Amino acid sequence: MTLSNLQKEKELQEETDLQLKKPPLYSVFLLNDDYTTMDFVIHILETVFHKPVIEATRIMLHVHKNGKGLAGIYTREIAETKIETVHDIAREHEFPLKCSMEKE
Ligand code: TYC
């Protein structure tokens, strides 16, 4: 194989490696507080995080008892948008509900 063919092969492999690289993932957590109603948190988990009502109720009770709980795992931009959406809807309803994200 000529040097330029070897070089081409190396470049193609680097391109393939880049395409195979998975994006970093972020866990989005709901945080407990004393004022947001349980029904509102369940509603958020159903509408923003697409959880069935039984799962939404389980997560809400876990957050209520333990202080925080996993709502979903997403790429960075999606995680940031979910958090903004939750904070916007909570603010509209005058609830102090907060979310956070952590890189996996
Ligand atoms: N602790 C709240 C209450 O007793 C309920 C609640 C659950 C609030 C989960 C926020 O992320 C939360 N009404």
Side-chain angles (χ1 to χ4, degrees):
M1 204 181 287
T2 64
L3 194 58
S4 74
N5 272 346
L6 273 172
Q7 185 59 30
K8 239 178 229 152
E9 188 157 318
K10 183 168 170 249
E11 282 166 13
L12 278 175
Q13 188 58 52
E14 282 168 359
E15 229 175 88
T16 313
D17 288 349
L18 273 178
Q19 283 160 4
L20 287 177
K21 263 241 172 70
K22 297 198 191 79
L25 293 177
Y26 293 79
S27 294
V28 173
F29 295 97
L30 278 178
L31 307 179
N32 190 35
D33 67 71
D34 292 338
Y35 303 102
T36 307
T37 62
M38 292 184 171
D39 279 350
F40 183 77
V41 177
I42 293 169
H43 168 73
I44 287 289
L45 285 161
E46 287 186 85
T47 56
V48 180
F49 298 99
H50 308 292
K51 304 295 187 193
V53 66
I54 291 188
E55 171 80 347
T57 305
R58 186 193 65 75
I59 296 169
M60 183 281 295
L61 287 173
H62 176 91
V63 177
H64 177 66
K65 196 172 155 200
N66 299 286
K68 76 176 201 178
L70 184 64
I73 301 176
Y74 307 96
T75 53
R76 183 172 53 79
E77 277 210 28
I78 307 246
E80 285 169 353
T81 306
K82 296 276 178 198
I83 291 174
E84 257 189 51
T85 303
V86 171
H87 291 170
D88 288 351
I89 303 173
R91 204 177 307 115
E92 276 168 28
H93 290 78
E94 302 191 319
F95 286 129
L97 181 62
K98 292 286 177 256
C99 290
S100 65
M101 63 194 261
E102 284 175 27
K103 195 170 184 207
E104 281 310 286

